Each structure stands twice: as C-alpha cells, then as structure tokens.
C-alpha cells in the first residue's frame, strides 16, 4: 500500500473488509469515491454511520428496526393472531414483498445446524415461546428455508409449539412459478406431488 | 476440461460464496472428495434438490485446478425421510460426521460406503423412536470402528491380552477407552486411572462398567450382518452402557467431541 497516499490506502483497506471485495475491487471503489461529488461522499458516509447507529433489533420480533417496536409489530392493521417464523431478517423482507401476508413475524436469527454444532440455544426460541404463551396467537407459520438446516429448525420449533395447542403450519415446497417439469429434480417434484391440492 | 463420474453419498453441504455450495462426497471407489455445486442455492438450480446431505447420487464432475465441480447430478436414493424427521435427521447427522472424521480424502473404502448406505436404509425404514435410533447407531458405531481399525477389544483384555472367558465372571466388566477395550481386574488394579470420572489429560470417563450381557451384545453387534443386527433386541440397560462406552471410545480416538452429539441428545430426550 506504500504507493498510495495515506488517506487513499486507508479507504482501500476499509473497502477490503467488506464481503466479496478483493484488492482490485477495493481500489476501483476507492478511485470511484475520489471522483464523486463531495456532497455525495458525505451522504454515503452519513448513511453508513446512521445505519450502524440507528438500526437495532426489534425487541418483539427481532426484525431490523429503527424504532421500538418495529413498524410491522406496531401496525394495528396487522393480524396479530398469526406469526410467521423466519430464519433471518432478509427472509422477512422476501415475505413482505409477496404482499400476501398480513400477520406478524418472529426472526430466529439463525437456524439449527447439527453438523456445525449450532444448537437451539443460539436461536430466539425462548422469546418465541414467551410471545406465544402470552396469548393471542392462533397460528404459527414456519417459513424457514427448505434446506436440511431449515427443515431441522422447522421440525424442532413445531415440536416445541405443538403441546401449546396452536395451529402450526409449514410453507409449501414444490415447483417454482415459471418452472419446467422436465427440468425439475426428483426431490422437488416428489414434494410438489405430496403438496398437491384440489382445484 | 477433464470430467469424471462419482457414485457417492453427500456427507456435508456448506454454503460458499453468493449461491454455491461445497459438497463433501463419499464415493465408493474414489473415497472422500470435495466438489463445488455452482448456483445450487438458487431456486431455479436443477442441482438444488439432489445436492442435499445424505442423498446418494450419481455425480458428473469436472476437474478444476483447486476444486472440482458438479456439472450434473442424478439421485440414486434420496433418503428424504432422513431429512423429514427430527430424530432421524439428528441420527444421520451423527453418522455422517463420524464417517467424515474417519474416512480419509481420496482413500477409497468401499466397506465404509456400503455400511453407511445400509444404515441409512435401516434408519429410513425404522419407526423413529429413541430406542430404534440408539440400536441403529450402536451397530453403526461398532462396525465403523472395526472398518477404520479402531475396533474396541471385546474378546480379550485390551492391556494383557488374556481372553475374556478366563477372567470375566457374571459380574460387570470394566471398559477402558484409554486401553482400547475391556480390561481384566488385574490390569484394572495396576492402571493409574480407576474410576468412572474423567481424570488427568484423558477426555471422558476412564472406566465404564458393562454388564456381562452388554459385553455379549457388543461382541455380537461388532460382527453381525445388518440383518442379524436388526433382529437383535437391546435392553435399555445394554443400550445405555454401550452408548457410554462407545462414545468414550470414539472421543478418545478422535480426540474431539462430535458436534452433532448435543443436538442428537436434545432430540433423544
């Protein structure tokens, strides 16, 4: 880095901390910043600092939020009798983009991974049980990923919740919209057949 | 780019980069290998379904400079029930972790491959009860240890070599993970560590007491075929004692606790 001026070397180093950014990309980004208008650079810096300072976990659902509770938890139009359990906050965003779900969420902040030694104690499970036991919840939708880890998490959560007498459901798995049966793998097709419904 | 085929079981699939997964595959004739399945985390990927842990597939692979890659994949046996039941999933995770630790990279061991498949099939067909799962896992432990050369000595004292018949009576027999099997009373008396608690630098208990019936069951299971093992009845006491002895034996030989054990214990409760 000795061939860079100090301030530029620091900027390249900071970019290199980001995931997927190597020295070449970091250098390209740093040179781009140097060409930007000063007000745009300040806006970027302030956005970074603001996000770090203001974004926190909602103490009800553990979604990322800038207020307590988050906008979803405090929205009176939401159906508080349905809880959708997701692994991470970005899964919640994906669910929200569907515009078909009007209930509340619970973010587990991870998933079980027996082979990595990630057990239930690392997830927001006590908080989920507390919410459900507080009353008002009629259905819990398990929307963890259809991976081995996601399935393990869904089964584990279902086992915890079933004794409470709630309706516990799992999101359907099958052929993606716009998919082609010929190119669908056997495992997915088998799931789609199992999950068929009346028309 | 050179390519080759593999007939293998997926032991592990870990996320890599934006949408890839690195698979650890146990192949019958190539041994353990790693390959990247590109784009497999994307919804549209045709590799997504077959590239699940425990799946037995026919792989078409390309040779890379540092890492090989999966170009096509066909399911031979998906073992989906192992992923659809919490108890079976925990047991299968334990099995693949043990195989992953014992199998060496590109060192073929067809017997370990066949043993894993046989026990996956047994687990798939079994009623998911803690007793059934424990039964399958103990049979798997004993036979895998045998194939890997870590078989505990069950016919003779692991220290002096005296046959069990000459010193074991109707009472309990001591099993020592450090000695590598059962130990006769004379050797047990002269060994420094004598107690059920862990001592010194050795992880786990020093000695585990086995009832005479438990020892007989272990000896039978170590050499039984899968069918013979399946019809053998295990008493709860024998199952518990075998579990303690074999876990301590595995811990001593691997020198680390298996990560999947805590999860297995939590679902066996």
């Amino acid at each position: 880095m000795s061939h860079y001026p100090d301030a530029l070397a620091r900027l390249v180093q900071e970019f290199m901390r980001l995931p997927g950014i190597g020295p070449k990309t970091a250098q390209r980004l740093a040179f781009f910043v140097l060409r930007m208008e000063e007000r745009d650079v300040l806006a970027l810096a302030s956005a970074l600092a603001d996000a770090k300072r203001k974004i926190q976990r909602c103490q009800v659902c553990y979604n990322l939020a800038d207020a307590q509770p988050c906008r979803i938890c405090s929205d009176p139009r939401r159906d508080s009798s349905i809880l959708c359990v997701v692994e991470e906050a970005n899964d919640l965003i994906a669910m929200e983009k569907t515009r078909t779900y009007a209930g509340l969420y619970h973010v587990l902040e991870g998933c079980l991974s027996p082979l990595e030694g990630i057990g239930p104690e690392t997830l927001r499970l006590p908080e989920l049980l507390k919410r459900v036991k507080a009353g008002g919840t009629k259905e819990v939708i398990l929307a963890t990923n259809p991976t081995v880890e996601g399935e393990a998490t869904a089964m584990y959560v279902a086992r915890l919740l079933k004794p409470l007498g709630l309706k516990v459901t799992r999101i359907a798995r099958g052929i993606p919209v716009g998919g082609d049966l010929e190119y669908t793998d056997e495992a997915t097709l088998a799931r789609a057949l199992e999950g068929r419904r009346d028309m | 780019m050179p390519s080759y085929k593999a007939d293998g079981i997926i032991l592990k699939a870990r996320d890599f980069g934006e949408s890839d997964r690195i698979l650890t595959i146990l192949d019958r004739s190539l041994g353990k290998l790693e390959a990247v399945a590109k784009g497999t985390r994307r919804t549209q990927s045709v590799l997504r379904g077959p590239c699940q842990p425990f799946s037995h597939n026919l792989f078409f692979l390309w040779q890379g400079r540092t890492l090989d890659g999966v170009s096509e994949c066909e399911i031979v046996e998906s073992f989906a029930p192992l992923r659809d039941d919490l108890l079976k999933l925990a047991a299968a995770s334990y099995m693949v972790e043990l195989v992953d630790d014992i199998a060496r990279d590109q060192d073929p061991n067809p017997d370990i491959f066949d043993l894993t498949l046989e026990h996956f099939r047994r687990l798939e067909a079994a009623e998911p009860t803690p007793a059934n799962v424990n039964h399958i896992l103990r049979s798997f432990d004993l036979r895998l240890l045998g194939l890997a050369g870590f078989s505990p000595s069950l016919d003779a004292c692991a220290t002096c070599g005296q046959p069990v018949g000459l010193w074991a009576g109707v009472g309990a027999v001591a099993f020592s993970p450090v000695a590598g099997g059962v130990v006769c009373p004379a050797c047990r008396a002269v060994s420094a560590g004598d107690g059920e608690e862990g001592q010194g630098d050795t992880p786990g208990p020093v000695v585990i007491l086995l009832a005479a019936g438990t020892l007989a069951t272990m000896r039978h299971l170590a050499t039984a075929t899968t069918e013979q093992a399946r019809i053998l009845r295990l008493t709860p006491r024998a199952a518990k004692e075998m579990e303690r002895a074999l876990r301590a034996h595995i811990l001593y030989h691997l020198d680390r606790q298996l990560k999947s054990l805590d999860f297995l214990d939590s679902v066996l409760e």
Side-chain angles (χ1 to χ4, degrees):
Chain A
M1 291 278 170
S2 58
H3 37 282
Y4 290 125
D6 284 350
L8 184 59
R10 228 183 92 209
L11 186 57
V12 172
Q13 281 292 355
E14 292 305 320
F15 276 131
M16 277 171 60
R17 287 171 184 259
L18 300 176
I21 307 274
K24 278 277 177 208
T25 313
Q27 182 185 299
R28 203 163 59 240
L29 290 172
F31 276 84
F32 181 80
V33 169
L34 291 182
R35 285 198 301 273
M36 283 166 74
E37 294 287 337
E38 189 173 348
R39 65 165 191 280
D40 294 336
V41 175
L42 290 175
L44 175 65
S46 132
L48 286 171
D50 268 8
K52 185 63 197 165
R53 208 177 300 130
K54 292 181 184 166
I55 303 292
Q56 49 192 306
R57 291 279 177 182
C58 167
Q59 289 307 301
V60 180
C61 70
Y62 296 93
N63 181 20
L64 296 175
D66 50 9
Q68 289 295 350
C70 71
R71 268 178 272 181
I72 294 174
C73 288
S74 55
D75 186 345
R77 292 166 300 175
R78 290 271 178 172
D79 182 353
S80 61
S81 67
I82 310 178
L83 265 189
C84 178
V85 176
V86 292
E87 289 176 20
E88 299 287 356
N90 41 4
D91 299 327
L92 182 153
I93 293 164
M95 289 293 287
E96 279 298 282
K97 281 182 182 169
T98 65
R99 294 171 185 265
T100 55
Y101 177 68
L104 299 179
Y105 292 94
H106 189 88
V107 181
L108 293 173
E109 289 190 53
C111 61
L112 295 176
S113 180
L115 285 171
E116 298 302 324
I118 301 172
E121 67 286 349
T122 58
L123 308 181
R124 294 281 182 190
L125 288 173
E127 292 85 351
L128 173 65
L129 281 176
K130 200 173 148 196
R131 267 182 96 179
V132 169
K133 281 179 181 167
T137 308
K138 289 180 186 153
E139 180 181 355
V140 175
I141 303 170
L142 301 173
T144 52
N145 287 322
T147 56
V148 173
E149 294 81 7
E151 295 293 353
T153 310
M155 287 187 280
Y156 192 86
V157 175
R159 206 168 84 149
L160 287 181
L161 296 178
K162 279 275 173 65
L164 303 177
L166 293 165
K167 183 178 177 187
V168 181
T169 55
R170 177 88 174 103
I171 52 166
R173 291 153 294 178
I175 304 157
V177 175
D180 197 321
L181 280 188
E182 188 189 347
Y183 294 106
T184 306
D185 65 85
E186 299 90 322
T188 307
L189 206 50
R191 297 278 189 189
L193 264 174
E194 280 167 22
R196 70 188 187 277
R197 61 180 194 188
D198 291 333
M199 285 188 77
Chain B
M1 197 177 293
S3 60
Y4 61 100
K5 281 184 199 173
D7 174 25
I9 303 165
I10 301 180
L11 300 180
K12 268 192 317 196
R14 63 175 198 274
D15 290 353
F16 180 68
E18 189 75 12
S19 61
D20 307 339
R21 278 210 172 100
I22 293 182
L23 310 178
T24 306
I25 301 166
L26 182 74
D27 178 84
R28 199 172 193 285
S29 49
L30 301 170
K32 198 170 74 171
L33 53 104
E34 282 202 331
V36 63
K38 286 198 174 284
T40 194
R41 278 150 66 204
R42 293 190 204 280
T43 323
Q44 300 91 336
S45 169
V46 287
L47 294 177
R48 194 173 47 100
C51 290
Q52 300 277 335
F54 322 135
S55 190
H56 172 206
N57 299 334
L58 188 61
F59 296 92
F60 298 87
L61 300 129
W62 46 262
Q63 262 176 351
R65 263 188 305 173
T66 51
L67 192 62
D68 296 352
V70 181
S71 54
E72 266 184 70
C73 189
E74 221 177 270
I75 297 176
V76 180
E77 282 171 285
S78 89
F79 291 115
L82 304 189
R83 296 183 290 270
D84 290 344
D85 178 87
L86 203 55
L87 203 48
K88 289 183 180 182
L89 180 113
S93 299
Y94 167 84
M95 285 161 70
V96 294
E97 191 181 0
L98 198 52
V99 170
D100 188 26
D101 250 34
I102 283 175
R104 299 270 161 261
D105 285 352
Q106 297 179 359
D107 178 15
N109 192 328
D111 292 336
I112 291 185
F113 177 86
D114 292 339
L115 182 81
T116 310
L117 270 190
E118 275 174 31
H119 282 78
F120 271 6
R121 288 183 192 129
R122 256 189 89 186
L123 192 60
E124 184 177 52
E127 191 69 30
T129 64
N132 284 345
V133 164
N134 275 326
H135 190 317
I136 294 167
L137 292 184
R138 295 301 79 79
S139 150
F140 181 75
D141 285 344
L142 276 166
R143 289 182 55 198
L144 182 67
L145 288 169
L147 292 174
F150 298 138
S151 195
S153 171
L154 302 171
D155 296 319
C157 171
T159 308
C160 68
Q162 281 251 39
V164 167
L166 296 181
W167 50 267
V170 286
V173 179
F175 181 96
S176 161
V178 180
V182 289
V183 281
C184 67
C187 292
R188 189 185 167 194
V190 296
S191 67
D194 191 359
E196 288 233 339
E197 296 307 313
Q199 291 180 5
D201 296 334
T202 313
V206 172
V207 162
I208 294 123
L209 295 178
L210 304 176
T214 306
L215 179 61
T217 308
M218 283 174 83
R219 288 165 70 177
H220 178 69
L221 274 182
T223 53
T225 62
T226 303
E227 185 50 30
Q228 286 167 336
R230 196 182 62 77
I231 55 174
L232 181 83
R233 292 279 150 256
L234 266 189
T235 64
R237 182 184 172 180
K240 201 75 221 156
E241 288 177 351
M242 278 172 68
E243 181 187 292
R244 287 196 66 209
L246 289 172
R247 279 192 182 185
H249 187 75
I250 290 167
L251 173 65
Y252 182 77
H253 283 284
L254 297 185
D255 205 19
R256 77 167 182 95
Q257 190 70 265
L258 293 176
K259 288 178 188 169
S260 53
L261 268 183
D262 282 344
F263 184 67
L264 178 64
D265 286 341
S266 75
V267 296
L268 278 172
E269 275 170 12

